[in-house]
Every structure is written in C-alpha cells, then in structure tokens.
Amino acid sequence: MTVAKCFIILFLVAGMLLPATPGNAVTVSELRNTPNLTPETFASYFADFEFKFHEEVQDHDTFLASKSGDCDDYSTLAADILGRNGYTTRLIAVRMKGETHVVCYVNETKSYLDYNYRKDEKKTIPCNSSITEIARKVSQSFGRGWIATYQFTFSQGVKRLVQSIITNRSTEKTS
C-alpha cells in the first residue's frame, strides 16, 4: 500500500471517529450525545441546510441526511433533541393568512428556535412563554397578523394538539 493510500485511509477513519461539528453532516445519535448541547449550539448545525417544503414532517434521519427541510422538520427535531438534553420545549404552530409556521420554544432560555433564523448570528429569538406572545412575534417576522396558534406534541410521527387559540385578525397588531 502506498503512503498516499495510507493517509487517505487514516483521514477517512479519523473522520468517522471525530464528533460532528456544526456545518458538517450530523446524525440524530450524534446530536443526542453531544455534551452540553444548548439551543444555540443545536441551531448552529443547520446554518447550511436548504429550505424545502414537505407536506408531512420528515423522519429526523432523512432531514439530517438531505440537509434540507422546513420549519416542521427543524422544530420537531429540536424539541426531541433538546428535550432529551434536559430542556423543556414546546412546539408552537402559528397560522397566518397563506402560511403556517412552526417554532420550538425553550422554557429555560425564554426563547424560541426558528428555522428562518438558522443562518443568523443570533439563532434564538427571545420571547416570553405566552403562546399569544410567541404567535405575535412569529407573525411579526412575516409582516402579518396571526389567525390561530397551536401548541402540539410530536412523537413517533404523530402530532397531538395541546392547546389552541383563535384570534380576530383585525384586532391582532403586527407592529
């Protein structure tokens, strides 16, 4: 075996043994086992992911392997991973005219993770825990009022409603 081949094999083996770093492909298992994982650290893994809408929530492994997905994929994964790392998370869907957007609220940091901010320097959005305040802030980022907001859980591919609030659009301000 040539020296060049030895270096290539050594490089490949080392890559398999080293933990994934933000920006590289990562697996569910690696995320679950990342020591001292914070919401900010979690979000940093997704800066290079592409937006691609799916009718249904993708399997977490598919989302991570394809490095593309939407707010449902990101938020449900965040709730799963951060929940397993000791955080109290809430999945919040905000319905606006022509759009529904899902975020993952993290009680301990009083902020939410939003797939639309995955490329930003500040990857969590500060907000109090009120479902209506979260809806207001999310809809404001879209420049729209919100029609309804829902808190739900997601487990084994099934969404379960926890709480819903309907508002009169004409009374909800986005400024």
Side-chain angles (χ1 to χ4, degrees), residues 94-101 139 142-148 169:
V94 180
R95 197 171 118 223
M96 301 161 278
K97 186 174 183 177
E99 184 86 37
T100 299
H101 191 64
S139 66
F142 282 82
R144 305 176 189 176
W146 60 277
I147 299 167
R169 284 188 322 169

Side-chain angles (χ1 to χ4, degrees), residues 69-83:
D70 58 28
C71 59
D72 280 348
D73 303 321
Y74 178 72
S75 295
T76 57
L77 179 62
D80 176 32
I81 298 299
L82 293 172

Side-chain angles (χ1 to χ4, degrees), residues 24-40:
N24 294 334
V26 65
T27 67
V28 172
S29 178
E30 289 168 332
L31 283 172
R32 287 181 179 156
N33 295 311
T34 301
N36 305 314
L37 185 71
T38 66
E40 284 277 341

Side-chain angles (χ1 to χ4, degrees), residues 28-71:
V28 172
S29 178
E30 289 168 332
L31 283 172
R32 287 181 179 156
N33 295 311
T34 301
N36 305 314
L37 185 71
T38 66
E40 284 277 341
T41 305
F42 172 85
S44 68
Y45 285 93
F46 300 89
D48 61 344
F49 275 48
E50 292 181 49
F51 174 82
K52 185 174 183 182
F53 177 76
H54 296 274
E55 288 291 327
E56 300 295 326
V57 177
Q58 292 185 89
D59 172 80
H60 295 332
D61 290 316
T62 302
F63 173 53
L64 292 170
S66 68
K67 295 183 97 173
S68 68
D70 58 28
C71 59

